[in-house]
Amino acid sequence: VIHWYKQKEGEAPERILFFSGGKVTPESGFQANRYMVESISVQRQCVLTIKDVIPDDAATYYCAYWDPHLWSTWVKYFGMGTKLIVSEKGSSPPANSEILQKKRENEIMYVCLIEKFYPEVIRVTWTDDEKEVTDNVVKGDTWQSTKEDEYSIASWLTVPAENKDKKYYCNYEHEGEKASVSTQVDSAKTAPQEEDCGTVFNRGNLMYQLTHRTAYLVYIILLLKSSMYYLIVLFFIYR
């Protein structure tokens, strides 16, 4: 049984239908004739098609299914979600993508800037010559450029200084376009020294995101330390 959920921004997800035995059963309030579900068992896929799309259909859609777990319990697994944007404007790929780098004492930070694309949905990943890199990777939120219908995004990767000669790639997928930028080509620009860093990294709200991220991590560390001290005090009190 495959379940499909719809989640509007700022709202809780709601189930719109479930699919079982080749039959679609919609929830009340959802028109069955507008939703078509197809199961492709060979490819282990379930495809949801929405007919006659209207602005109210704009949301993120999730598929889900129940699976037996330990101790006779059931767990519902959700997909990553697909965001549907309803707009009269056609999509436009990123107008620019580049990598900036900033060297510190024992590490190098690569910042990948992808600018001026529409719609705002984009997937950004980092890879080396062998595999995807997920450690020490932070993806920022998209922000609007000077024009309301253009968006930009930044993602940064931090690596040890001894990896300065290793090649990394910033990859993005936007609508039907895929591209990548390398850290070892001319497009990889070196950031100026400390006095000019604000000029380089202050594109959109990138600097704000870096500061916010650092403050968040410091807050978590302090919270964990406070919790540890609290447990130690409780231990001696009850002892």
Side-chain angles (χ1 to χ4, degrees), residues 68-201:
H69 203 54
L70 300 176
W71 301 294
S72 300
T73 59
W74 288 76
V75 176
K76 179 171 279 190
Y77 290 94
F78 284 78
M80 295 177 60
T82 299
K83 187 172 184 178
L84 171 63
I85 298 173
V86 182
S87 172
E88 295 181 355
K89 176 180 172 59
S91 63
S92 56
N96 178 60
S97 59
E98 60 182 338
I99 294 180
L100 309 172
Q101 71 178 44
K102 173 65 179 177
K103 295 182 180 179
R104 297 179 178 175
E105 293 182 0
N106 301 315
E107 61 185 16
I108 302 174
M109 176 184 288
Y110 295 111
V111 180
C112 180
L113 292 175
I114 304 170
E115 302 176 294
K116 299 179 181 179
F117 55 85
Y118 182 86
E120 66 266 33
V121 180
I122 193 169
R123 178 175 296 162
V124 182
T125 58
W126 288 88
T127 56
D128 55 22
D129 287 325
E130 300 176 356
K131 61 184 184 305
E132 181 176 351
V133 179
T134 56
D135 293 336
N136 300 315
V137 171
V138 179
K139 178 186 175 184
D141 297 325
T142 55
W143 71 84
Q144 283 188 324
S145 304
T146 53
K147 297 177 63 176
E148 292 185 358
D149 56 353
E150 290 183 345
Y151 292 85
S152 298
I153 194 171
S155 177
W156 48 98
L157 166 68
T158 305
V159 300
E162 56 264 27
N163 290 0
K164 63 180 181 179
D165 296 326
K166 187 173 182 179
K167 184 180 291 187
Y168 296 93
Y169 302 88
C170 173
N171 316 284
Y172 70 81
E173 297 180 41
H174 179 263
E175 294 293 301
E177 178 171 308
K178 297 182 180 181
S180 64
V181 189
S182 171
T183 58
Q184 297 296 325
V185 294
D186 293 339
S187 60
K189 301 179 181 179
T190 302
Q193 297 304 313
E194 193 66 29
E195 62 270 19
D196 293 325
C197 270
T199 304
V200 175
F201 290 104

